[in-house]
Amino acid sequence: MLRFGIQKSGRLTDQSFALIAECGIRFERSNGRLKVPAWNFALELMSFRDDDIPSYVADGVIDAAIVGENVVREQGLKFDVVRTLGFGKCRLVIATPKESSVNNPSQLSGLRIATTYPKLLSAYISEKNITAEIHEISGAAEIAPGIGLADAICDLVSSGSTLFSNGLKDIATVMFSEAILIVSPKISKENLALFSELDFRITAVLSAKKTKYIMLNIETEKIPLVANLLPGLKSPSVISLVREGWSALHTVVDEDNFWEIIGSLKEIGAEGILVLPIEKVIS
Ligand code: PRT
Ligand code: ZN
């Protein structure tokens, strides 16, 4: 049975459950329980505080897990990042009060920075040759300058609204982070095989999120123009239509430049464009 760790209750919980479910693994979701067995896969979901996950994976208490890269790096544990998962995206930043004249990290020398990320901050300031004082705190960093505890903070930011509403401005990025998939160096051979199957499914789900399936009608003579627009396109399916000189073309496009591609397709005369989500991409 693969023991798979996820955050018990927090920002990564819903998307971690959702990802496992999208892999076709069925379980009864229960926020309160430590262990939730899957019904159709030899896997047990185990819920912990995110801070506990890296050491449990390192010790082999759990075989694999989803956790924020920031948590793993702050704890100084070295895991191979099996995969970045595309959610829980944030930045660890240094921020100062809006009215402060400190606008770049080199001006932080001699100042106090409050943070719950002392190791990552320390590595950053020593790399930049800044001799600031790190003030380790356990709670909300954003209030530290307002109550006179520090001149700056180092904290995670996603939308930026917490910084904004506390009158702070972001002056440097210490690291970019997102949810990652990690595996224990102590995993057994049997469970590694289960983990590989799970990772295969996760890859298929993530690839599908990055792509869309497009169907369109186009004058047959213009098909080479469509192929030029979509250079990554290996083999579009082309189906003749009853309408003389026209074909239907089906293909897969990347979500990154999706709207530009749609605009260009319309310009060259594509009609009846249908866009469908893809559930899995197996390669
Ligand atoms: O109870 P437990 O210890 O498990 O949870 P936690 O409170 O330590 O963590 P949680 O649930 O807040 O975050 C879990 C993980 O989500 C983090 O380790 C990051 O990898 C990721 N993540 C992504 C974030 C954010 N975005 C984020 N914005 N973690 C925290 N924040 C906080 C930030 O600290 C600040 O207080 O949200 C606030 C800023 O948000 P914005 O949107 O106003 O910028
Ligand atoms: Zn935590």
Side-chain angles (χ1 to χ4, degrees):
M1 174 94 79
L2 185 73
R3 291 158 303 166
F4 193 83
I6 57 171
Q7 190 186 18
K8 185 171 186 185
S9 169
R11 286 169 188 264
L12 303 184
T13 307
D14 285 349
Q15 280 162 294
S16 300
F17 273 123
L19 180 60
I20 301 299
E22 283 170 307
C23 290
I25 295 174
R26 311 266 310 275
F27 51 86
E28 188 183 345
R29 180 165 172 181
S30 152
N31 281 344
R33 270 161 59 198
L34 168 66
K35 294 180 186 180
V36 176
W39 300 336
N40 58 350
F41 195 96
L43 173 147
E44 187 167 55
L45 285 171
M46 298 179 73
S47 305
F48 304 102
R49 283 201 60 201
D50 63 351
D51 315 72
D52 296 334
I53 288 177
S55 57
Y56 287 162
V57 175
D59 295 345
V61 174
I62 43 182
D63 295 312
I66 295 174
V67 68
E69 186 171 8
N70 50 299
V71 178
V72 174
R73 297 255 311 268
E74 176 62 23
Q75 296 187 4
L77 292 165
K78 301 229 180 318
F79 290 106
D80 290 336
V81 176
V82 179
R83 210 157 294 296
T84 54
L85 299 173
F87 63 88
K89 288 190 177 178
C90 53
R91 290 181 304 133
L92 183 65
V93 305
I94 299 176
T96 54
K98 266 191 208 113
E99 61 283 2
S100 157
S101 58
V102 179
N103 292 314
N104 71 65
S106 64
Q107 295 172 291
L108 288 165
S109 282
L111 301 184
R112 294 163 305 161
I113 312 173
T115 189
T116 53
Y117 288 87
K119 289 206 186 100
L120 287 170
L121 176 59
S122 167
Y124 177 83
I125 62 173
S126 60
E127 186 202 310
K128 302 265 173 206
N129 287 322
I130 301 162
T131 49
E133 184 191 321
I134 296 175
H135 196 87
E136 186 176 349
I137 52 163
S138 56
E142 63 274 7
I143 60 166
I147 58 172
L149 191 68
D151 308 294
I153 66 162
C154 174
D155 196 13
L156 296 174
V157 166
S158 42
S159 70
S161 69
T162 303
L163 287 190
F164 184 79
S165 57
N166 284 280
L168 297 164
K169 60 176 187 282
D170 141 26
I171 63 160
T173 298
V174 174
M175 87 169 275
F176 289 90
S177 181
E178 65 184 274
I180 56 172
L181 180 64
I182 54 174
V183 65
S184 175
K186 298 194 173 159
I187 191 169
S188 69
K189 226 177 181 180
E190 296 74 28
N191 286 3
L192 185 59
L194 290 169
F195 175 76
S196 299
E197 170 61 23
L198 175 66
D199 183 41
F200 169 74
R201 295 189 190 187
I202 288 176
T203 311
V205 170
L206 296 180
S207 306
K209 285 188 203 292
K210 289 188 200 134
T211 47
K212 298 250 180 270
Y213 192 84
I214 294 194
M215 302 192 281
L216 55 89
N217 294 340
I218 188 93
E219 281 174 275
T220 306
E221 61 179 26
K222 289 185 179 165
I223 287 175
L225 293 179
V226 179
N228 278 346
L229 261 182
L230 307 169
L233 191 71
K234 287 192 195 109
S235 49
S237 308
V238 178
I239 304 156
S240 306
L241 293 179
V242 174
R243 187 176 170 190
E244 185 90 11
W246 281 71
S247 297
L249 188 143
H250 292 199
T251 191
V252 169
V253 298
D254 230 34
E255 194 161 51
D256 284 350
N257 38 13
F258 174 76
W259 287 108
E260 289 81 349
I261 290 173
I262 294 291
S264 312
L265 287 171
K266 282 178 70 183
E267 263 169 39
I268 61 172
E271 289 181 5
I273 304 174
L274 293 182
V275 181
L276 287 86
I278 296 175
E279 198 176 299
K280 311 273 187 304
V281 174
I282 315 289
S283 52

